Amino acid sequence: MIQRWILLPLLMTLVANAAGAQEAAPLNLERIINMYVERNLELQAARYHLERTRADQIAARLRPNPGLSIAAENLRVSGPTAAARLNEFGASYSETIELGGKRAARERVAAATVSVAEARFADAMRRGMAEVRRLYFEAVLARRSIEVAKENQQTFQQLVQLNLTRFKQGAIAEADVIKVRLERIKFDSALRQAELRFRQAMIRLAENLEDDSVTERDVAIELNLPLLDPTLEALIKLGLGERPDVQAAEREVEASKERLTLEEARAHPDITPFAGYKHLADDNTVSFGISVPLKIRDRNQAGIARAQADQKAAAASLEVARSHTVAEIKAAYEAFQSARQQVRIFRDELLNQADESRSIALAAYREGATPLLTVLDAERTRAEVRQEFFKTIFDYQIALSDLELGVGREIRQ
């Protein structure tokens, strides 16, 4: 029977190998988004700002601190009267009572401010995730360009070998061999350019994710994209209802109303009752009283005026946010519709036509029924169509991402 002390290291090794294999797997969009949420420093700074805003709620709930006064009066310096008959010692305790609902108003203002901060944090995340998606799609496009360039390179290498054989047999001139080699060199250069774009895209992605190891990783190529067909009216309604910056503007309007209520409450004076004790000669006395500020001049007119102006500014900002949202969704929708139509054309028509044209030209050339120029043109056309198709896929992904950015959430249909 195998002992546990033997099984345990084996099990740990298998788990470590599985974890390493998972870590080395190509990065997909979901993994990229998770890494951004976990590691991006700008997002962390926005999160800390939100936590700071929540801390203000603690201060809003607190009551004013009480006061304690201790005094010694009539301390004898000189004179005929005995010190015991002159010296006075006393203490008093005071407690401020807030009137006009100031404390409750402060709590409502703090809660509204936190709500605004939460919406702004969601908006920062929305914009950051859109940028991460764009960087990821750029890396995927570059990675797919590498594969296309390698396929073209292999095809032309086979064509070079075929022409070398035919040249040795005397079936073609040496110029045809040179032409094919020249075309292969062009695709070699295209491959190097694609590899350079991929490395640069991964560097930009690593910078955004705050993880240099990303530059050593690969990305998963996802081409089976559903062609969504949402309606503009539904998208606008969704954007106005769920987009974080619109929500932040709406909550800022509510917060401005609460701030105005608080400033109006501050126009009411607070009273400060107090109670005291005094020792005079051989006598002990107590005192009671109340302190009331006379707000006959400053009744917080400036604070109220500022709050009223802030309320008007918040209402105007809300209208701007709504107008901007509608315009942004309309513009993104037009780009999305155009990109979706282009993808459909390539999928349904151009890709198959380019493949068939290349296959026919290559078969005819092998039989000696067509010149080399026809094969080269067909191969170049196929390569351009495939590269343009992947560029169209990239445009569609970016257009969809921009549309989701405008709406403020993922689009499912």
Side-chain angles (χ1 to χ4, degrees):
M1 183 176 180
I2 300 177
Q3 299 297 324
R4 291 184 178 179
W5 64 271
I6 297 177
L7 288 176
L8 184 58
L10 290 175
L11 181 60
M12 293 178 64
T13 302
L14 290 175
V15 172
N17 291 338
Q22 182 179 5
E23 185 67 21
L27 296 171
N28 57 21
L29 182 57
E30 181 181 0
R31 177 59 178 156
I32 289 293
I33 293 297
N34 290 336
M35 293 174 67
Y36 166 76
V37 174
E38 294 172 1
R39 305 178 185 180
N40 184 265
L41 295 181
E42 292 183 357
L43 191 61
Q44 289 183 15
R47 187 179 291 111
Y48 294 146
H49 178 73
L50 175 58
E51 293 177 2
R52 181 186 181 280
T53 305
R54 287 173 176 160
D56 292 339
Q57 288 183 298
I58 300 175
R61 292 192 297 266
L62 299 178
R63 299 179 183 275
N65 289 321
L68 177 64
S69 300
I70 300 176
E73 301 179 9
N74 299 333
L75 300 181
R76 182 177 180 279
V77 177
S78 63
T81 306
R85 297 178 58 82
L86 290 176
N87 296 347
E88 296 183 16
F89 301 95
S92 64
Y93 174 86
S94 61
E95 183 80 50
T96 300
I97 299 177
E98 295 182 294
L99 301 180
K102 295 184 183 67
R103 181 166 173 264
R106 280 200 311 272
E107 292 180 352
R108 292 194 301 270
V109 169
T113 303
V114 169
S115 180
V116 173
E118 289 174 344
R120 288 176 177 169
F121 175 73
D123 188 54
M125 182 177 291
R126 171 183 72 100
R127 296 180 182 278
M129 291 173 64
E131 178 62 20
V132 168
R133 284 196 294 266
R134 177 181 291 274
L135 294 174
Y136 170 76
F137 292 145
E138 288 179 356
V140 169
L141 175 64
R143 186 68 182 87
R144 195 65 185 92
S145 298
I146 291 175
E147 294 189 359
V148 172
K150 286 182 177 179
E151 292 175 4
N152 294 330
Q153 189 183 51
Q154 293 174 0
T155 299
F156 271 88
Q157 181 60 33
Q158 295 172 0
L159 196 56
V160 167
Q161 296 299 327
L162 174 62
N163 279 272
L164 283 174
T165 301
R166 297 184 66 185
F167 171 69
K168 292 178 182 178
Q169 295 173 350
I172 61 173
E174 186 178 9
D176 288 344
V177 178
I178 295 175
K179 289 179 182 178
V180 175
R181 285 178 172 173
L182 179 60
E183 289 296 325
R184 193 196 66 179
I185 291 174
K186 291 180 180 179
F187 281 103
D188 290 343
S189 176
L191 174 59
R192 289 192 294 272
Q193 290 296 321
E195 291 174 340
L196 174 61
R197 288 195 298 272
F198 178 71
R199 290 194 299 270
Q200 292 174 335
M202 294 303 290
I203 290 173
R204 290 191 292 269
L205 190 59
E207 178 186 8
N208 198 279
L209 298 178
E210 310 293 345
D211 187 351
D212 291 338
S213 66
V214 170
T215 57
E216 306 299 327
R217 303 284 296 277
D218 201 356
V219 291
I221 299 177
E222 303 169 356
L223 294 179
N224 296 323
L225 297 176
L227 296 182
L228 306 178
D229 190 19
T231 63
L232 179 60
E233 293 75 13
L235 292 175
I236 291 177
K237 182 179 179 181
L238 196 61
L240 292 176
E242 298 193 19
R243 187 162 143 158
D245 58 340
V246 176
Q247 292 182 344
E250 292 173 345
R251 296 175 186 181
E252 184 61 39
V253 170
E254 295 302 319
S256 67
K257 294 178 181 179
E258 297 297 342
R259 293 190 189 101
L260 177 58
T261 301
L262 176 59
E263 295 300 332
E264 290 173 343
R266 285 173 175 166
H268 300 279
D270 298 331
I271 61 175
T272 308
F274 63 89
Y277 160 80
K278 182 178 290 188
H279 175 77
L280 175 60
D282 296 330
D283 299 322
N284 297 309
T285 62
V286 295
S287 62
F288 300 95
I290 185 171
S291 174
V292 181
L294 300 178
K295 289 206 169 188
I296 58 177
R297 299 185 181 91
D298 182 3
R299 297 185 58 83
N300 200 32
Q301 296 94 329
I304 294 174
R306 284 192 294 267
Q308 290 173 339
D310 290 342
Q311 186 176 13
K312 294 176 183 178
S317 297
L318 174 58
E319 293 303 316
V320 170
R322 288 173 174 169
S323 177
H324 178 72
T325 296
V326 172
E328 189 173 323
I329 291 176
K330 287 182 177 179
Y333 185 77
E334 293 296 327
F336 170 78
Q337 289 287 81
S338 176
R340 185 168 64 90
Q341 182 64 22
Q342 287 294 104
V343 172
R344 180 177 286 113
I345 292 174
F346 273 92
R347 282 184 175 177
D348 298 344
E349 304 175 14
L350 295 181
L351 284 177
N352 293 333
Q353 292 176 0
D355 288 340
E356 292 177 0
S357 177
R358 193 280 300 264
S359 298
I360 293 172
L362 188 57
Y365 178 71
R366 287 172 177 169
E367 297 296 330
T370 189
L372 176 62
L373 184 60
T374 302
V375 178
L376 296 180
D377 286 341
E379 190 63 43
R380 280 194 296 266
T381 300
R382 178 178 179 273
E384 291 174 0
V385 168
R386 286 168 63 80
Q387 183 62 33
E388 195 62 30
F389 168 65
F390 297 122
K391 177 63 168 58
T392 302
I393 290 290
F394 170 76
D395 291 340
Y396 173 78
Q397 290 173 317
I398 293 300
L400 177 59
S401 180
D402 289 343
L403 188 58
E404 291 176 339
L405 177 65
V407 173
R409 58 169 293 179
E410 184 178 0
I411 299 173
R412 296 290 185 179
Q413 60 181 5

